[in-house]
Amino acid sequence: MRLLRVGEPGRERPVVQNDNGVAFDLSTITADIVGRFLADGGIRRTRDALTAGSLAGVDIDGQRIGPPLARPGAIVCIGQNYAAHAAESGAPPPKYPIVFFKHSNTVIGPYDDVRRPRGAERLDWEVELAVVIGRRASYLDSPDAAADVIAGYTISNDVSERAFQNEISGGQWSKGKSCETFNPMGPWLVPADEIDPQRLRLRSFVNGEPRQDSSTADMIFPVLNLVWDLSQYMVLDPGDVINTGTPEGVAFSGRFPYLADGDVVDLEIDRLGTQRQTVAAALSRPAQSPE
């Protein structure tokens, strides 16, 4: 089962696909796929409705696919969570998870353009497994307990501007992570009970050329450990997202050029679908009128 949202930005409607890819309208169950829907048993109710055959079919061919989660609360990110990526970044494997945040308004659809920020010259890609929280998590007793608070999984591209991140962020990374369009997400959300998060292949390509090719089995801190660890220091709410880190093969390694306008980035994770973004020039905004 796959949960997704289709339609133009700000006007997406919720849809579910069964295992055969047939799409059904979810608007009789929820107005949108948000944290409250997940916390109120929305995935169970959707699965029950699919089984009962009570949902109307819908044709989504040719329609824009939006991010599978509307209005995420926090986007909590984990840095250097693959040993090979830490090494290509010039750092030893971390002893504890490295945590930073992205602004939630960075989220766009999986096929939307990534906009180059003004002055950006070191634009980078990062394919990541994204964890969507479905129940409030605070001081979880163990990593095993984390399984009960995860609603599902999707793909994130943790787009980064490396000069903003490493040279002018004052010792933290958020300036290089929170620019407009810097978190393509989707195409769909797969329920947690259908996915083994440590047995997924991740890959990325730029203009058709391979960049990243790894497995979540190589994470330094596995998904359940990450959720448990974060719950010791912050409250995770339904609708929060955790980007769990990226494997080796990014431009920051020095092995590949940074992204140029017109470049096409493809990302894929087993069972979670594919993404494709084109890098576009920064938006030109009119000057604000004086008050």
Side-chain angles (χ1 to χ4, degrees):
M1 184 176 80
R2 308 164 180 168
L3 298 172
L4 61 157
R5 301 167 64 246
V6 299
E8 294 307 305
R11 298 181 179 179
E12 297 95 341
R13 69 183 190 277
V15 170
V16 61
Q17 287 182 320
N18 64 17
D19 292 339
N20 295 320
V22 179
F24 299 88
D25 185 4
L26 262 186
S27 60
T28 56
I29 292 180
T30 184
D32 212 340
I33 300 172
V34 294
R36 179 65 180 268
F37 164 75
L38 299 174
D40 288 347
I43 288 178
R44 174 187 51 77
R45 290 187 284 118
T46 298
R47 185 174 281 146
D48 289 346
L50 268 182
T51 301
S54 60
L55 299 175
V58 61
D59 183 6
I60 63 173
D61 286 347
Q63 297 191 51
R64 171 185 175 269
I65 305 298
L69 177 69
R71 301 183 296 279
I75 300 181
V76 187
C77 303
I78 308 301
Q80 299 178 2
N81 195 28
Y82 291 75
H85 176 57
E88 74 177 356
S89 302
K95 184 177 179 180
Y96 303 104
I98 297 171
V99 179
F100 62 94
F101 290 83
K102 300 188 80 143
H103 199 303
S104 61
N105 66 12
T106 58
V107 172
I108 58 173
Y111 310 111
D112 294 342
D113 289 349
V114 167
R115 289 279 177 182
R116 176 182 301 280
R118 292 180 183 178
E121 297 181 355
R122 296 165 62 187
L123 199 62
D124 212 345
W125 62 89
E126 295 190 19
V127 60
E128 304 204 9
L129 176 66
V131 178
V132 178
I133 299 298
R135 291 176 54 193
R136 189 176 189 268
S138 178
Y139 296 115
L140 295 174
D141 291 335
S142 67
D144 287 343
D148 293 332
V149 306
I150 298 173
Y153 299 97
T154 188
I155 305 173
S156 275
N157 184 359
D158 177 20
V159 182
S160 307
E161 209 298 333
R162 300 302 190 182
F164 295 179
Q165 173 186 347
N166 295 307
E167 297 173 13
I168 59 173
S169 270
Q172 50 76 43
W173 295 348
S174 292
K175 283 184 181 177
K177 300 286 190 172
S178 292
C179 302
E180 188 175 16
T181 74
F182 267 27
N183 203 126
M185 185 182 293
W188 50 65
L189 175 68
V190 177
D193 60 3
E194 299 183 17
I195 295 290
D196 181 342
Q198 304 310 144
R199 293 176 178 266
L200 300 172
R201 186 183 184 187
L202 313 85
R203 296 200 292 172
S204 67
F205 306 82
V206 177
N207 299 326
E209 297 181 357
R211 292 294 186 259
Q212 297 170 280
D213 188 351
S214 188
S215 168
T216 55
D218 293 329
M219 285 184 178
I220 297 170
F221 305 104
V223 166
L224 297 185
N225 294 72
L226 286 175
V227 175
W228 166 76
D229 181 83
L230 290 171
S231 80
Q232 309 306 306
Y233 305 99
M234 65 185 76
V235 176
L236 297 171
D237 286 322
D240 287 348
V241 174
I242 304 170
N243 288 345
T244 57
T246 200
E248 66 173 325
V250 297
F252 187 62
S253 68
R255 294 188 287 129
F256 306 108
Y258 287 103
L259 295 171
D261 292 353
D263 282 350
V264 176
V265 180
D266 290 283
L267 312 174
E268 60 183 46
I269 298 180
D270 288 350
R271 303 195 61 197
L272 299 180
T274 63
Q275 294 188 0
R276 168 171 287 190
Q277 297 99 40
T278 300
V279 178
L283 288 172
S284 177
R285 303 189 188 282
Q288 294 183 346
S289 299
E291 297 181 357

